[in-house]
Amino acid sequence: MEHHPNIEVYRSTKDLEQNAAKRIVLIINKAIRERGNCFIALSGGETPRPVYHLLGTPPMKDQVDWSCVHLFFSDERIVPSTDIQSNYGMVDRELISHIDIPRKNVHRIEVEKKPELAAAEYERELREIVSDVVRFDLVLLGIGGDGHTASIFPETAIVEEKKAFAFAVFVPHLNSWRVTLTFRSINNAREVLFLVSGKEKAPIVQRVLKSPKPRKEIPATMVQPVEGNLLWMIDRDAAGENEKL
Ligand code: 6PG
């Protein structure tokens, strides 16, 4: 297995979570130092939850001037924010409700609207707040066993979407609507960070590592920041037998 410069393997999940939270604080503070603010898109799912908890707890919560940070979401399930499936709900419980961030800086996807309207509204906000080219300082991503990332699933039209920065997509096997960032906004970011843990992810991590070039059957391989850094932070379980990555 050739060396992968953009993969860091951590001895334990806890170690991964601690280092991921520290890395996020560094990226946020660098953006604030350089540009006075920070635009970050947070991924959903279970993997990042402990990282958000660390960011919302001392000492890390006190290491960031949250009034300079704008929180967006890499994707959202079209369910009420109170639903256990809601990414916004999870981030609110673990992070937002514990930090001094102005409400106007939290850009939730308006799940009360029809998915296409929610996506159009989110796109407008992305262009207006982040910039007309939607260049995030950091996009956080996870990966599903099927190679999806954000809510870009294999063999869906959105894999090829080139124009929109955000899109509504119905996911048949989940029987649910999602709104997600597209690769256009993801690959425009200054930093893209994949957080992956657990042995159930080892097979897909291997498939991604063995796919040197982007493959639409494995959407996560299409995350190739145009002018930005890509980093995979994974634990040993997710690295599988290639712990010496
Ligand atoms: C979502 C995420 C999704 C997630 C992967 C991994 O809203 O579900 O954006 O892309 O990152 O499905 O999820 P886990 O971290 O729960 O394994």
Side-chain angles (χ1 to χ4, degrees):
M1 170 61 69
E2 69 280 12
H3 173 67
H4 277 264
N6 56 356
I7 292 240
E8 294 175 359
V9 182
Y10 289 89
R11 296 182 58 74
S12 71
T13 307
K14 284 263 168 291
D15 210 16
L16 165 65
E17 291 159 359
Q18 277 288 342
N19 282 281
K22 283 181 194 152
R23 186 68 53 85
I24 292 166
V25 168
L26 281 175
I27 291 169
I28 291 175
N29 286 333
K30 179 172 181 291
I32 293 172
R33 238 187 353 267
E34 290 175 356
R35 289 174 295 280
N37 50 31
C38 176
F39 300 99
I40 176 171
L42 300 175
S43 69
E46 286 311 306
T47 306
R49 180 202 292 267
V51 177
Y52 301 150
H53 183 77
L54 286 168
L55 291 170
T57 309
M60 289 193 209
K61 89 176 226 184
D62 304 317
Q63 292 167 358
V64 171
D65 177 355
W66 296 98
S67 68
C68 301
V69 179
H70 283 266
L71 294 181
F72 288 80
F73 295 82
S74 305
D75 67 331
E76 181 59 279
R77 297 84 178 271
I78 302 298
V79 294
S81 300
T82 50
D83 187 302
I84 192 70
Q85 284 292 318
S86 164
N87 289 336
Y88 167 79
M90 181 269 286
V91 176
D92 188 38
R93 280 190 299 279
E94 299 297 345
L95 175 60
I96 297 169
S97 56
H98 303 280
I99 57 175
D100 253 351
I101 185 167
R103 294 315 284 180
K104 67 175 177 51
N105 286 24
V106 179
H107 307 278
R108 58 185 279 276
I109 293 167
E110 294 180 278
V111 294
E112 302 75 21
K113 293 182 173 168
K114 281 186 179 311
E116 291 87 343
L117 281 181
E121 175 55 28
Y122 196 50
E123 167 116 9
R124 188 195 59 73
E125 210 169 348
L126 285 166
R127 290 173 184 265
E128 186 187 309
I129 309 276
V130 183
S131 75
D132 57 349
V133 290
V134 185
R135 183 164 168 72
F136 278 105
D137 293 298
L138 172 60
V139 173
L140 273 181
L141 294 173
I143 187 170
D146 60 359
H148 81 262
T149 190
S151 284
I152 307 175
F153 287 83
E155 320 294 335
T156 56
I158 194 168
V159 169
E160 320 261 9
E161 174 58 39
K162 298 263 183 304
K163 207 165 129 322
F165 288 106
F167 217 76
V169 59
F170 181 72
V171 186
H173 70 282
L174 297 175
N175 190 29
S176 83
W177 277 93
R178 302 273 184 104
V179 169
T180 182
L181 293 183
T182 60
F183 287 126
R184 187 177 179 195
S185 32
I186 293 169
N187 286 334
N188 230 1
R190 289 187 170 83
E191 307 280 344
V192 180
L193 199 48
F194 272 100
L195 300 182
V196 191
S197 68
K199 56 171 79 61
E200 72 284 358
K201 298 289 174 76
I204 191 62
V205 168
Q206 290 312 312
R207 283 184 70 201
V208 169
L209 295 185
K210 289 190 179 118
S211 312
K213 58 184 196 320
R215 287 175 53 198
K216 60 183 193 324
E217 314 80 68
I218 313 177
T221 60
M222 296 178 68
V223 175
Q224 309 275 341
V226 178
E227 278 176 46
N229 303 314
L230 170 65
L231 177 61
W232 289 73
M233 295 180 80
I234 71 176
D235 65 8
R236 264 197 324 190
D237 283 344
E241 74 277 7
N242 289 285
E243 292 170 17
K244 299 166 295 309
L245 287 175

